[in-house]
Amino acid sequence: MTENVIIDPNLYFLGLLIPLFPLLGFLVNGLLGKFLPKASAGWIGSGAVLASFICVLYIFNSLGVNDVIRIDLFEWIVFSGIDISFGLSIDPLTVIMMLVVTGVGFLIHLYSIGYMHDDEGFGRFFVYLNLFIFFMLLLVMGSNFLMMFIGWEGVGLCSYLLIGFWFKNDAYNDAAQKAFVMNRIGDLGFLLAMFFILFQFGTLDFAAVERLAPSIAEHQGLITTIALLLFIGAIGKSAQLPLFTWLPDAMAGPTPVSALIHAATMVTAGIYMVVRSNVLFALSPIALNVILAVGVATSVFAAIIGLKQNDIKKVLAYSTVSQLGLMFVALGLGAFTSGIFHLVTHAFFKALLFLGAGSVIHALHGEQDIRKMGGLKKLIPITYITFLLASLAISGFPLLSGFFSKDEILAHAFQQNILIWIIISLSSLLTAFYMFRLVYLTFANSFRGTDEAKHHIHESPWTMTVPLIILCVLSVFGGLLGLPAVFHAQHWLAGYLSAVTDGSAQYLHHAEHLSHSMEIILMSIAGVGAILMILFARHQYVTKKQLPPADESLTGFEKLVANKFYVDELYERFISQPVFKMSEGFGGFVDKKILDRVVNGVGTVVDMSGKTLRLLQTGNTGFYIFAMVIGMIVIFIIRLLI
Amino acid sequence: MYTLIYTCCLGLLCLVGEILNLRKLLIPMILAGLAAIFVVNCMEWDAAGPVIIGGMDMSHMMRVDSYSIAFSGLSIFTAMLIFALTGNFYKNEEHHLSDYLAILVFVLTGALVLFSFYNLVMLFLGIEIVSISLYVMAGSRRQDIRSNEAGFKYFLMGSFASAILLFGITLIFGATGSFELDKIAAFASSGTDSTLLHIGALLVISGMLFKVAAVPFHFWSPDVYEGSPSLVTVMMSTLVKVAFFAAFFRLMSVGLSGIHDYTSDILSLVAALTLIAGNLIALSQNNFKRLLAYSGISHAGYMLLAVLSIENEASSALWYYGAAYVLATIGAFAVAIPVFYFRNDETIDAFNGLGKKNPLQAAFLTISMLSLAGIPPLAGFLGKYYIFSEAIRSGYIWLTIVAVLASIVGIYYYFKVILAMYTKDTVEPEVKSPMLYTVVMIVCVVLSLLLGVWPGPFTNLL
Amino acid sequence: MMTLLLLFVPLVSALVVYLAGQKLASKVALGLAVVELAISGIALSMYLKEGPEPFYVFHEWIASPKISFHLALDGLSLLLVILTNLLIPIIILSTFHRLIPNAKSYFALILMMQFALVGVFMAMDGLLYYIFWELALIPIYFIALRWGGPNRVPVTLKFFIYTLAGSLLMLFGFIMLYWYNPQQSFDIRELYNLAISGSNQSWLFWMFFLAFAIKIPIVPFHTWQADTYREAPTQGTMLLSGIMLKMGIYSLLRWLLPIVPLGVAQWGPLAITLCVVGIMYASIIAIKQDNIKNLLAYSSLAHVGLISAGVFAINLHGFQGSVVQMLAHGINVVGLFFCADIIFNRTNTLSIDGLGGIRNLAPKFSTMFMVILLGSVALPLTNGFIGEFLLLYGVYEYNIWLSAFAGLTIILGAVYMLRMYKKVMLGNTGTRVQSFPDLYWNEFLALGIIVVLVIVMGLYPKPVLEIAEPALQLILDKTIVQ
Amino acid sequence: MDQLIFYTLSALTLVSALVVVFAKSPMYSVLSLIVCFFTIAGHYILLNAQFLAITHIIVYAGAIMVLFLFVVMLLNLNKESEQHKPLKLRIAATISAGMLFLTLIASLKSTQFVSFIAPPPSDMGIVENVGQKLFTDYLLPFEISSILFLSAMIGAVVLAKRDKKR
Amino acid sequence: MGTVEHIIPLNWYIFVSTFLFCIGVMGVMFRKNGIIILMCIEIMLNAVNLLLVAFSAYSGNTDGQVFVFFIMVVAAAEVAVGLALLMSIYRNIGSTNIDVLNKLKW
């Protein structure tokens, strides 16, 4: 990899501005919020993000494929053996992520203005959102692992704050806390990984680590440990098995939050991190296989659960988990670019889906159960159209963005392991099915709610619809970023990210490239499969007008699935409860009954012995003299014997 | 030497003063006299020659050296503090005042003899002067049955102990053919293994242990301390205790140093017992004087460490500890006696609410208690430190550990008093403590602070 | 000169405050504390310019036994002195808008405490240090005793005797050292170069370690802590948790490791294990605590466990981490206890059950509370993170598994802290929360300062690291056995 | 001859002492104590301490015992049939005293003495020798003992004289 | 007369006086009448005196005899004070039984 560090004051300055704008927005809204008119908060927030989006665009077209901008602000933790600078660096991968973050971020800000306009916490919401954007940018821009970790935990904090945004509701607060703690579990792994790296290489700087990593290639154990610990972090952040349960609960937050944090950006941080340190992973086949396994398992598992969810946002949440799994499959296969590709497209259509869902919920004044919806296609047409297209994209309908990105991953899987190809194709078929189950139940047929509710339904304001339309466009044409060779176009994204991924290329075994015909066959299989699934869903829910039954009527496997395989309950039973029991045991028993008793016991013993000895003092002179005599006798005897 | 003579004269003067009806003047006179004697004593510091009487050298009887002068100075100063308290204490029994004062002065005389003795005869006489006078003083509240009891108990056990002491002295005489410390020391260190000497030494030590109230010869002290008039208790627990210890130390370090190995482990056993028993029993006491009696026993234990470790510094450690102990105790009593008087109660509850009613007194009593407990930066702490340091230096490690643990226990009962003052409440009115008492209290507390913060002049006194 | 000023200004101020009378006491105290803070600021600038030399004070105090009035101010001491002088004004500030009976004694005692603490951090003669160490115990005892909660008498007495028991053992150890020292003195420079046999060193190690372990406290010597923190008045708790337990950790660094390196080599592993066990033990207990002060007490127990673990890891990273975390923890815990006090002052309860929903009554308060809380759960860009990162890294260098276990603290810490925040601040308005006026100016000021410190230290810890490094390097060299 | 005297005297001494201890009535105790003292005086004479013997008789038999008698009469204790301590205690007392005796003897029996300046002058005990000693070497203690007397005297007076007020 | 030290070994005197001493000790523990106890103490003192005289006779230096004088002095003084105390007690409780004296204990 030939990175040439360009020192251009303008770019340096712009790069610095990118995170500063959201920070500024955060400070302004946070500190001066109460002095400004309520509405302004939204515009300030959005403006800040827009500003940094523009900066990103500028950098995007002025940054060559092999260029890197390094922005070293100041020495952070520096003394013997440790040298961690507070610095940012911008390379193509970063740029892509920044584009997603700021671009999608801006649209969602805009959307939120409409969505949240009558919420009492309007200002606070944008404060948090800006803070999130700031941390997310730090995450993707950080020039070393610790900087990334700042962003990493920062976004965790923001997600905590935003999930619990409506803090009066205890359930929401629990969800928020759950999210934070589960992320923390991953973070511990990340932290330990950093210790290993720091100890091995004496630095946490990405470039340096990438340079030095091969030196320990022969220590498979070590490198695998590092990679796996890092991956644990990714698991926590990107909601993979077994730490995925927080994400569905995280839907407690306002819908734009779900769109931004829990679909488009934050949850993909894990992917970004793996790609960022792809060399480390590439050096450890074991780690890659683990990733692959986890990814596959997650994608199928989540897809299955998705089949039986009736909360519009929960369905999307599980599909997110499943899609993230798919991305990890890509990474596990060593197809880092494909992972990023799917990340980007997914960001588009999943954000769109959430926003659409938000628009639906907005229209229905907070109703989220799809069994109480239906027939909305005429009432909120824009939402319907965009939502439909997004669903097509995610289901892999030919020539839409999702089709290409997914297909690339499938192709890689096919090259390396036919079995994996089968499994993930299955999961993408499932995806297509539950997505359209969702679409049809929501929009098709006739409204199943009360007339009173129906009366209130209306299309959302432009601030909400515009982002929908833009995202819709993106998710339709997003595929252009990575047209496969079949279309006689070179894969743009792959080329753009080559500098990043080349480092690892040499360590990955490359199966021979598929023949075009084979690729076309695969594509058509996937496309046809998707379409068949969609038709099947239509048959089920439109023709037969089937309705998902009430939860309690479910039995057997369905019940299991509807209850998410009781994973939450298992964790509750086997982790939380024991810890609480321990807490009570330690606090109530060990601490009070044992340790404290021992300490007090000493005191008691001393006191009692005093009270006993005291009785010798009988007050009888005869006895005193007697005692003295005995004492003397004892002395003499001691002296005689010794 | 002159110190002794003048003190005797002072005692006689008291009696004369009685005859001349100068009761009012007595106490000022004594204080002035003691001050003068104190000066004289200090002047002897460098000019201490052999003791000459009627042209005869009495060096075989007593020697005035820095040791005796230092302790004399301390005890004279103590006596001044105590006499300052007598005025108000005895104001109800004026017709006996002069007698009491005279006897107390004679106690001081005996103490002076004890500091400078160089012959077992002198030791014996000194002890007896002090003891007999104290028997009287302890029983001096004749209508008070408790006082009688205290006096008689003290008398019985005291004379019993004296008899034992005498028996020991006799055996030593039998062994060495002399009463002079020099000769005894010479014989003892000559290495001739004489059982007579050993047994005699043990008996003498038992006698001394009784006088300093060490376990198992301590039984008299709590009862006597509790029963006697408070002022006498002060006298016994401060001046006299120090005097006996000084004598004990002199005996062990000069006379019997030759058989130190023979006596040391007996003594250390006794010291350990004393430390443990004294502190433990004190925990459950509710009567202030009795509490101080037990605490006095435990302090005897600490001082025994000094007696055990007979190095040069040990004497100054003993002196310093004695000083700290004396100051703290007198300071405490200077607060306590008026409280007892006004609240007519000698238990710890008498101090309830003192923190609110008399903040000054409470604060000073607190400081005295802290000093007794050995909390820095008060004198009590440095005193303990020296004693421990010397003991460790002389290799009594386990004994010192016992002492340390014991002093941890000790803290508790000193704090009982403090807690009573600050956490309990009372309906009793404020205590109006006489001016002289306040003065004494302030002097003691200030000194024990000074001694703790700036001990330079006093630490290497000897 | 500077050193003596630093040491004696608080003592004088204590007297002044006592004489100032009940009305003025608090304001005078605050003013004088600020003066002291200014002095330490000057001292800092002097240190940065001229290094430790100008702060060196040596007078013969007692000839025999040789005890000298020997003060010095290296980086380590300087930082802790600054921490002390920084927290005292905040602590005093926290009493405004509160009714304090017999205020003059209260503030006089607080300033006495400051005097003793500064002394502890600057004393370089064993016995002098010991005297200050003990002296620090008296004021806090009386503060807790006279202004404490309903159950204060037995609790404080237990605390006093327990800690004093430890320190008496330390005194014993010091005397041993004195006689081991051929020059026969307590001068730290000589104590650092003693050649003591391994077996004796392990005795000495225990004598000192117990004293410090009780003071810090390290599990299982902590049983006095929670009760005392709960019963003591808030300012007392702040002093105890914010500064006083730093005495213990500081002493580990200054008076234990370099003096008995062999003992440390022999028993250090046990000690560090105790610390790590303590971290998990305390964190787990904290989860289910109902009383806020108890919860904070246990959390603080967990934190100091980690700090001590870093010390016993015996490497520069651990040391640096412990120093940074000492400052961080001092600041955060004071802030947290102040928040607890604010809650108690408004709702008259500290039981989590009765509380809730304060968030929407007092946004300013809850925001600041949140920030400080994040600092104590070691979120990046807060002071807590720097400390815990370095500490865990130090422990990692010592032993990977230990650091993995110790690392659990960042999970458990999040659990109990957020649980507490959730139950106290969020959710529906609790039964005990009728009206909750937002921060008064003094509370806002105090918390504001703390919040700023939390962020600033997290953002730019470099100065702290640089100041501390030489001293720590020296200690490390003395500790590592060849 | 001397031996015979010695043995009889010693026997008398011990027996009379025992009588003092065991006698029911105080009066008997007093009288037997007097006997005991006289026998001890006899011992003194045997041991060439003639002057001491005289003083002994004067001081003890003459002064102290009279004092005892006086008090016994005054408080007419002789009537008061004193009930003894419980048997247990008395046995304990006897045993402990016996043990003390045994231990002492056990440790003293094997004593060899400092070489004596033999033969001692047979007139060492007569007045001028003792007086010589007393007023030269022992002048200081002699003076000091006056203080003792004084103090004891005052004390006795203070304690014993009836209060006018009562 | 006056040659006893050549006929009778000193040990006999040690024996006798020790025995006497122990009788005294026993008496002190045995009786509870103050006066008798006082007498027993006198016995102890006299045992000491006897031993002293014996020693001085055998070692032929007068110091022992001189010491006896002082013991007598002290004995006299003690008796005086002791009886005085006893009187005042008798005045208060109408008895010389020392076992009554146990108001002060524990």
Side-chain angles (χ1 to χ4, degrees), chain A residues 168 174 184 583 591 596, chain C residues 158 222 281 284 298 410 422:
Chain A
K168 290 213 185 71
D174 291 334
R184 268 285 167 120
S583 171
D591 224 40
D596 207 17
Chain C
K158 178 178 170 185
H222 65 284
Y281 179 79
I284 290 177
Y298 279 109
I410 72 167
K422 185 185 76 190

Side-chain angles (χ1 to χ4, degrees), chain A residues 284-297:
Chain A
S284 159
I286 304 170
L288 282 180
N289 291 333
V290 172
I291 297 180
L292 188 58
V294 171
V296 171

Side-chain angles (χ1 to χ4, degrees), chain A residues 378-391:
Chain A
K378 297 170 202 59
L379 299 169
I380 43 177
I382 304 175
T383 313
Y384 170 60
I385 306 294
T386 51
F387 198 91
L388 180 63
L389 286 168
S391 309

Side-chain angles (χ1 to χ4, degrees), chain B residues 142 148-149 155 170 177 290, chain E residues 38 48 61 92 101 105-106:
Chain B
R142 286 175 308 164
N148 298 142
E149 178 177 348
F155 165 74
T170 310
R290 206 173 177 79
Chain E
L38 215 49
V48 173
N61 73 1
N92 282 327
L101 300 175
K105 58 176 133 182
W106 299 331

